[in-house]
Amino acid sequence: VALEEDGTLHLCRGLWFGFLAIRARVVIEGEGAESTVLSGGETATILQVSGEGNRLEVRDLTLDRGAAPAEDGNSGSGGALRCLEGSEVLIERAVISNNTGYDGAGVFGRDGCDIEVHETDFLNNRSLDDGGAFRVNRGRATLVDTRFIGNAAKDGGGLIFHESEVLVEGCHFEDNFSTDSQGGAILQYFGPLTVRDTTFVANHSLVWGGALS
């Protein structure tokens, strides 16, 4: 389904299925992450926003079991949410769980995207390559009061950033795993990374940087 006009989509309590392609300024809100679930059914990315000036706000719902197949034209990036072409994303009071993809299985952004996340749980997301929960290439990410638990990837089990400006504040990383070499919780390449008031518990990497690389 394509959403190309500004507005708000309210999802009542229940389990919803679908893929939404957004090219506007849209708010998607549920009635609480414990009771409103938007699922990809393990077959498709759930949400995609693209286009400079467009913005997606997601709050009070769960994004569960999205899957980004490599043949979708985006190299299998972003099982739950994909941000492209300089658009903006705000996620608040959500759960992003059990999503899969080649990289950035939970959330993926590239090429100038600005992604902000508050009071959200990333749980049990799995990438075949990099960034189990979250990946941003050449963009900006702000993560505040958010938990990353049980995510895994080849590198950057929790998060991976490339040429991006990143703030991590008041977050919690636990039991995230790099299955190949580095960055059990966070892996950052070529960009400023600020981490404040954040805890790391039992994150693992097979080679180096169990918490941070």
Side-chain angles (χ1 to χ4, degrees):
V1 177
L3 300 180
E4 298 183 341
E5 295 186 4
D6 296 355
T8 297
L9 174 62
H10 180 83
L11 297 178
C12 299
R13 295 184 180 190
L15 176 61
W16 302 82
F17 291 90
F19 165 62
L20 301 177
I22 296 141
R23 295 189 65 87
R25 299 179 71 85
V26 172
V27 176
I28 301 176
E29 62 181 15
E31 297 186 355
E34 71 286 349
S35 59
T36 305
V37 178
L38 183 55
S39 174
E42 300 182 347
T43 61
T45 293
I46 302 169
L47 301 173
Q48 176 177 296
V49 58
S50 58
E52 189 170 354
N54 293 328
R55 178 179 174 87
L56 171 63
E57 298 184 15
V58 176
R59 58 176 63 99
D60 299 315
L61 56 80
T62 290
L63 301 178
D64 187 65
R65 301 189 186 281
E71 64 269 19
D72 69 359
N74 291 282
S75 301
S77 301
L81 190 153
R82 183 186 299 136
C83 175
L84 305 174
E85 303 166 1
S87 49
E88 300 177 359
V89 171
L90 172 63
I91 303 171
E92 296 179 307
R93 301 182 301 277
V95 173
I96 297 176
S97 57
N98 304 310
N99 300 286
T100 59
Y102 185 72
D103 57 6
V107 171
F108 175 83
R110 73 178 189 204
D111 300 334
C113 282
D114 189 340
I115 303 175
E116 189 171 345
V117 182
H118 294 261
E119 299 178 78
T120 291
D121 289 343
F122 287 78
L123 310 174
N124 303 314
N125 300 286
R126 297 286 186 270
S127 290
L128 293 177
D129 194 31
D130 297 334
F134 202 104
R135 177 169 183 165
V136 175
N137 295 344
R138 299 179 301 277
R140 180 179 299 164
T142 302
L143 310 173
V144 179
D145 296 333
T146 289
R147 301 192 305 166
F148 298 85
I149 300 174
N151 304 285
K154 185 177 178 182
D155 287 319
L159 321 175
I160 187 169
F161 303 104
H162 188 269
E163 297 181 11
S164 297
E165 182 180 345
V166 181
L167 170 64
V168 178
E169 185 169 12
C171 293
H172 178 82
F173 293 83
E174 184 172 348
D175 199 28
N176 301 287
F177 184 41
S178 165
T179 62
D180 186 33
S181 63
Q182 59 183 321
I186 303 175
L187 176 57
Q188 167 78 329
Y189 289 112
F190 310 116
L193 168 65
T194 301
V195 179
R196 300 189 187 121
D197 301 322
T198 291
T199 57
F200 297 87
V201 179
N203 301 283
H204 302 281
S205 172
L206 289 184
V207 182
W208 62 79
L212 178 63
S213 181

PDB file of all heavy atoms in Angstrom, residues 109-125:
ATOM      1  N   GLY A 109      18.846   2.783   7.357  1.00  0.00           N
ATOM      2  CA  GLY A 109      18.765   4.089   6.728  1.00  0.00           C
ATOM      3  C   GLY A 109      20.010   4.371   5.917  1.00  0.00           C
ATOM      4  O   GLY A 109      21.101   3.897   6.236  1.00  0.00           O
ATOM      5  N   ARG A 110      19.854   5.180   4.851  1.00  0.00           N
ATOM      6  CA  ARG A 110      21.011   5.515   4.021  1.00  0.00           C
ATOM      7  C   ARG A 110      20.797   6.862   3.329  1.00  0.00           C
ATOM      8  O   ARG A 110      19.684   7.371   3.238  1.00  0.00           O
ATOM      9  CB  ARG A 110      21.271   4.425   2.988  1.00  0.00           C
ATOM     10  CG  ARG A 110      20.282   4.393   1.851  1.00  0.00           C
ATOM     11  CD  ARG A 110      20.622   3.321   0.823  1.00  0.00           C
ATOM     12  NE  ARG A 110      19.773   3.458  -0.352  1.00  0.00           N
ATOM     13  CZ  ARG A 110      19.487   2.482  -1.193  1.00  0.00           C
ATOM     14  NH1 ARG A 110      19.989   1.275  -0.982  1.00  0.00           N
ATOM     15  NH2 ARG A 110      18.722   2.683  -2.235  1.00  0.00           N
ATOM     16  N   ASP A 111      21.917   7.431   2.864  1.00  0.00           N
ATOM     17  CA  ASP A 111      21.911   8.595   1.976  1.00  0.00           C
ATOM     18  C   ASP A 111      21.157   9.778   2.559  1.00  0.00           C
ATOM     19  O   ASP A 111      20.204  10.302   1.979  1.00  0.00           O
ATOM     20  CB  ASP A 111      21.316   8.223   0.614  1.00  0.00           C
ATOM     21  CG  ASP A 111      22.109   7.129  -0.082  1.00  0.00           C
ATOM     22  OD1 ASP A 111      23.316   7.020   0.200  1.00  0.00           O
ATOM     23  OD2 ASP A 111      21.525   6.389  -0.884  1.00  0.00           O
ATOM     24  N   GLY A 112      21.623  10.222   3.754  1.00  0.00           N
ATOM     25  CA  GLY A 112      21.102  11.434   4.346  1.00  0.00           C
ATOM     26  C   GLY A 112      19.901  11.271   5.241  1.00  0.00           C
ATOM     27  O   GLY A 112      19.348  12.261   5.722  1.00  0.00           O
ATOM     28  N   CYS A 113      19.474  10.047   5.498  1.00  0.00           N
ATOM     29  CA  CYS A 113      18.345   9.839   6.409  1.00  0.00           C
ATOM     30  C   CYS A 113      18.707  10.269   7.830  1.00  0.00           C
ATOM     31  O   CYS A 113      19.842  10.102   8.279  1.00  0.00           O
ATOM     32  CB  CYS A 113      17.939   8.371   6.410  1.00  0.00           C
ATOM     33  SG  CYS A 113      16.958   7.916   4.972  1.00  0.00           S
ATOM     34  N   ASP A 114      17.732  10.799   8.523  1.00  0.00           N
ATOM     35  CA  ASP A 114      17.870  11.226   9.919  1.00  0.00           C
ATOM     36  C   ASP A 114      16.868  10.417  10.733  1.00  0.00           C
ATOM     37  O   ASP A 114      15.657  10.580  10.572  1.00  0.00           O
ATOM     38  CB  ASP A 114      17.589  12.726  10.034  1.00  0.00           C
ATOM     39  CG  ASP A 114      17.913  13.283  11.409  1.00  0.00           C
ATOM     40  OD1 ASP A 114      17.988  12.505  12.377  1.00  0.00           O
ATOM     41  OD2 ASP A 114      18.085  14.510  11.507  1.00  0.00           O
ATOM     42  N   ILE A 115      17.373   9.535  11.600  1.00  0.00           N
ATOM     43  CA  ILE A 115      16.521   8.605  12.346  1.00  0.00           C
ATOM     44  C   ILE A 115      16.679   8.872  13.839  1.00  0.00           C
ATOM     45  O   ILE A 115      17.788   8.855  14.367  1.00  0.00           O
ATOM     46  CB  ILE A 115      16.875   7.142  12.021  1.00  0.00           C
ATOM     47  CG1 ILE A 115      16.764   6.891  10.519  1.00  0.00           C
ATOM     48  CG2 ILE A 115      15.967   6.191  12.798  1.00  0.00           C
ATOM     49  CD1 ILE A 115      17.215   5.506  10.086  1.00  0.00           C
ATOM     50  N   GLU A 116      15.561   9.090  14.518  1.00  0.00           N
ATOM     51  CA  GLU A 116      15.556   9.351  15.958  1.00  0.00           C
ATOM     52  C   GLU A 116      14.657   8.323  16.637  1.00  0.00           C
ATOM     53  O   GLU A 116      13.534   8.079  16.181  1.00  0.00           O
ATOM     54  CB  GLU A 116      15.050  10.768  16.217  1.00  0.00           C
ATOM     55  CG  GLU A 116      15.197  11.233  17.650  1.00  0.00           C
ATOM     56  CD  GLU A 116      14.895  12.712  17.806  1.00  0.00           C
ATOM     57  OE1 GLU A 116      14.850  13.438  16.787  1.00  0.00           O
ATOM     58  OE2 GLU A 116      14.687  13.134  18.959  1.00  0.00           O
ATOM     59  N   VAL A 117      15.165   7.733  17.726  1.00  0.00           N
ATOM     60  CA  VAL A 117      14.438   6.663  18.426  1.00  0.00           C
ATOM     61  C   VAL A 117      14.427   6.959  19.921  1.00  0.00           C
ATOM     62  O   VAL A 117      15.474   7.240  20.512  1.00  0.00           O
ATOM     63  CB  VAL A 117      15.086   5.286  18.177  1.00  0.00           C
ATOM     64  CG1 VAL A 117      14.287   4.186  18.866  1.00  0.00           C
ATOM     65  CG2 VAL A 117      15.218   5.000  16.679  1.00  0.00           C
ATOM     66  N   HIS A 118      13.229   6.865  20.542  1.00  0.00           N
ATOM     67  CA  HIS A 118      13.083   7.088  21.977  1.00  0.00           C
ATOM     68  C   HIS A 118      12.260   5.962  22.594  1.00  0.00           C
ATOM     69  O   HIS A 118      11.242   5.543  22.027  1.00  0.00           O
ATOM     70  CB  HIS A 118      12.365   8.418  22.256  1.00  0.00           C
ATOM     71  CG  HIS A 118      13.125   9.630  21.840  1.00  0.00           C
ATOM     72  ND1 HIS A 118      13.853  10.387  22.721  1.00  0.00           N
ATOM     73  CD2 HIS A 118      13.278  10.218  20.617  1.00  0.00           C
ATOM     74  CE1 HIS A 118      14.404  11.405  22.080  1.00  0.00           C
ATOM     75  NE2 HIS A 118      14.069  11.317  20.787  1.00  0.00           N
ATOM     76  N   GLU A 119      12.676   5.485  23.756  1.00  0.00           N
ATOM     77  CA  GLU A 119      11.886   4.571  24.589  1.00  0.00           C
ATOM     78  C   GLU A 119      11.351   3.383  23.794  1.00  0.00           C
ATOM     79  O   GLU A 119      10.159   3.070  23.827  1.00  0.00           O
ATOM     80  CB  GLU A 119      10.725   5.327  25.238  1.00  0.00           C
ATOM     81  CG  GLU A 119      11.169   6.447  26.145  1.00  0.00           C
ATOM     82  CD  GLU A 119       9.993   7.197  26.739  1.00  0.00           C
ATOM     83  OE1 GLU A 119       9.378   6.673  27.688  1.00  0.00           O
ATOM     84  OE2 GLU A 119       9.684   8.296  26.236  1.00  0.00           O
ATOM     85  N   THR A 120      12.247   2.731  23.084  1.00  0.00           N
ATOM     86  CA  THR A 120      11.877   1.626  22.198  1.00  0.00           C
ATOM     87  C   THR A 120      12.747   0.415  22.494  1.00  0.00           C
ATOM     88  O   THR A 120      13.905   0.554  22.890  1.00  0.00           O
ATOM     89  CB  THR A 120      12.020   2.080  20.728  1.00  0.00           C
ATOM     90  OG1 THR A 120      10.998   3.047  20.455  1.00  0.00           O
ATOM     91  CG2 THR A 120      11.894   0.930  19.756  1.00  0.00           C
ATOM     92  N   ASP A 121      12.191  -0.781  22.318  1.00  0.00           N
ATOM     93  CA  ASP A 121      12.931  -2.030  22.508  1.00  0.00           C
ATOM     94  C   ASP A 121      13.186  -2.694  21.163  1.00  0.00           C
ATOM     95  O   ASP A 121      12.250  -2.927  20.390  1.00  0.00           O
ATOM     96  CB  ASP A 121      12.137  -2.996  23.392  1.00  0.00           C
ATOM     97  CG  ASP A 121      12.065  -2.555  24.835  1.00  0.00           C
ATOM     98  OD1 ASP A 121      12.872  -1.685  25.236  1.00  0.00           O
ATOM     99  OD2 ASP A 121      11.207  -3.070  25.567  1.00  0.00           O
ATOM    100  N   PHE A 122      14.457  -3.010  20.887  1.00  0.00           N
ATOM    101  CA  PHE A 122      14.856  -3.818  19.737  1.00  0.00           C
ATOM    102  C   PHE A 122      15.201  -5.215  20.252  1.00  0.00           C
ATOM    103  O   PHE A 122      16.200  -5.383  20.960  1.00  0.00           O
ATOM    104  CB  PHE A 122      16.059  -3.207  19.035  1.00  0.00           C
ATOM    105  CG  PHE A 122      15.775  -1.967  18.251  1.00  0.00           C
ATOM    106  CD1 PHE A 122      15.627  -0.737  18.883  1.00  0.00           C
ATOM    107  CD2 PHE A 122      15.664  -2.010  16.867  1.00  0.00           C
ATOM    108  CE1 PHE A 122      15.374   0.416  18.163  1.00  0.00           C
ATOM    109  CE2 PHE A 122      15.405  -0.865  16.128  1.00  0.00           C
ATOM    110  CZ  PHE A 122      15.256   0.354  16.781  1.00  0.00           C
ATOM    111  N   LEU A 123      14.394  -6.198  19.883  1.00  0.00           N
ATOM    112  CA  LEU A 123      14.507  -7.531  20.482  1.00  0.00           C
ATOM    113  C   LEU A 123      14.626  -8.605  19.405  1.00  0.00           C
ATOM    114  O   LEU A 123      13.784  -8.702  18.508  1.00  0.00           O
ATOM    115  CB  LEU A 123      13.271  -7.829  21.337  1.00  0.00           C
ATOM    116  CG  LEU A 123      12.857  -6.760  22.359  1.00  0.00           C
ATOM    117  CD1 LEU A 123      11.543  -7.155  23.016  1.00  0.00           C
ATOM    118  CD2 LEU A 123      13.948  -6.554  23.399  1.00  0.00           C
ATOM    119  N   ASN A 124      15.709  -9.381  19.484  1.00  0.00           N
ATOM    120  CA  ASN A 124      15.835 -10.612  18.694  1.00  0.00           C
ATOM    121  C   ASN A 124      15.734 -10.378  17.184  1.00  0.00           C
ATOM    122  O   ASN A 124      15.080 -11.138  16.468  1.00  0.00           O
ATOM    123  CB  ASN A 124      14.782 -11.642  19.133  1.00  0.00           C
ATOM    124  CG  ASN A 124      14.884 -11.962  20.609  1.00  0.00           C
ATOM    125  OD1 ASN A 124      15.968 -12.185  21.129  1.00  0.00           O
ATOM    126  ND2 ASN A 124      13.745 -11.953  21.287  1.00  0.00           N
ATOM    127  N   ASN A 125      16.384  -9.342  16.707  1.00  0.00           N
ATOM    128  CA  ASN A 125      16.467  -9.107  15.272  1.00  0.00           C
ATOM    129  C   ASN A 125      17.752  -9.745  14.742  1.00  0.00           C
ATOM    130  O   ASN A 125      18.781  -9.734  15.413  1.00  0.00           O
ATOM    131  CB  ASN A 125      16.445  -7.610  14.984  1.00  0.00           C
ATOM    132  CG  ASN A 125      15.167  -6.960  15.490  1.00  0.00           C
ATOM    133  OD1 ASN A 125      14.109  -7.118  14.914  1.00  0.00           O
ATOM    134  ND2 ASN A 125      15.264  -6.238  16.609  1.00  0.00           N
TER     135      ASN A 125
END
